[in-house]
Amino acid sequence: MSKEVPRLDALDVRILEQLQTDETLPVAELAEQVGSSKTVVWRRIQRLQDLGVIRGRVALLDHKKVGLPIMIFAHIKMTRHDRDVLPKFIEAVDALPQVIEAHTLMGNVDFLLKIVMSSLEDYEHFVWQKLSKIDGVREISSSISLSQNVNRTRLPLRPG
């Protein structure tokens, strides 16, 4: 897959905006909403998937309603930045289903993890038994989310 950013025309953007709102729309209905034919829309969707613009189609779940009411942001500092330590850390956290996002950062912290848990006790166990045992982890500081005021999955698109 190319690292180039694909150019999106106005039709691509209209299709993507509709899919970001409701990905379950049948192609015929989507075509009607964006003012194009079923065949053109279907081909555009296939192209956008092939280009990696559409990475997948999923149901968005409410973490609280599935028994994971605690959201934590863990700030990770590594002991060293060897060529193999950072990829091994990423591989280790990718294997932990409680980690729903992992970001490599510049600055005082090396990684930011977004984690969901059923309780603070479970998080404490997770820190001591999982995170702190990953090779190269020097320091973990955590911020607990009190409330989630904005939670978007919809990207602000424009033709390019």
Side-chain angles (χ1 to χ4, degrees):
M1 182 169 45
S2 172
K3 293 199 180 228
E4 282 185 40
V5 176
R7 289 187 59 84
L8 303 176
D9 65 17
L11 179 57
D12 291 331
V13 169
R14 288 195 309 273
I15 291 168
L16 291 170
E17 285 176 338
Q18 291 300 318
L19 289 176
Q20 285 187 100
T21 301
D22 182 3
E23 81 81 29
T24 65
L25 284 174
V27 174
E29 190 175 331
L30 179 58
E32 185 177 313
Q33 289 185 8
V34 300
S36 188
S37 72
K38 284 185 347 184
T39 304
V40 168
V41 169
W42 183 84
R43 284 187 183 139
R44 291 287 183 112
I45 291 169
Q46 294 304 307
R47 179 180 143 270
L48 292 166
Q49 288 175 329
D50 292 344
L51 291 171
V53 173
I54 298 174
R55 295 185 313 181
R57 295 176 171 203
V58 299
L60 299 174
L61 306 180
D62 184 317
H63 67 98
K64 292 177 182 176
K65 291 183 180 178
V66 296
L68 299 166
I70 309 295
M71 185 177 297
I72 301 115
F73 295 92
H75 311 263
I76 311 293
K77 290 184 182 179
M78 304 299 286
T79 57
R80 58 195 190 282
H81 299 101
D82 297 350
R83 199 175 264 235
D84 62 332
V85 171
L86 301 180
K88 285 183 180 176
F89 175 82
I90 294 167
E91 184 179 322
V93 297
D94 189 38
L96 302 171
Q98 300 89 342
V99 177
I100 60 173
E101 289 183 25
H103 301 265
T104 305
L105 303 179
M106 293 180 68
N108 296 332
V109 176
D110 297 306
F111 294 98
L112 175 67
L113 307 179
K114 183 177 179 182
I115 301 167
V116 289
M117 287 284 166
S118 58
S119 69
L120 289 177
E121 292 80 14
D122 285 347
Y123 181 62
E124 180 181 21
H125 182 264
F126 180 79
V127 167
W128 291 114
Q129 299 304 314
K130 303 284 185 183
L131 279 184
S132 66
K133 291 187 176 184
I134 299 173
D135 184 41
V137 171
R138 181 179 84 202
E139 184 179 320
I140 303 168
S141 62
S142 303
S143 299
I144 298 170
S145 174
L146 297 177
S147 63
Q148 189 175 41
N149 302 307
V150 177
N151 181 19
R152 290 188 186 102
T153 60
R154 188 175 176 148
L155 299 175
L157 302 176
R158 62 180 184 183

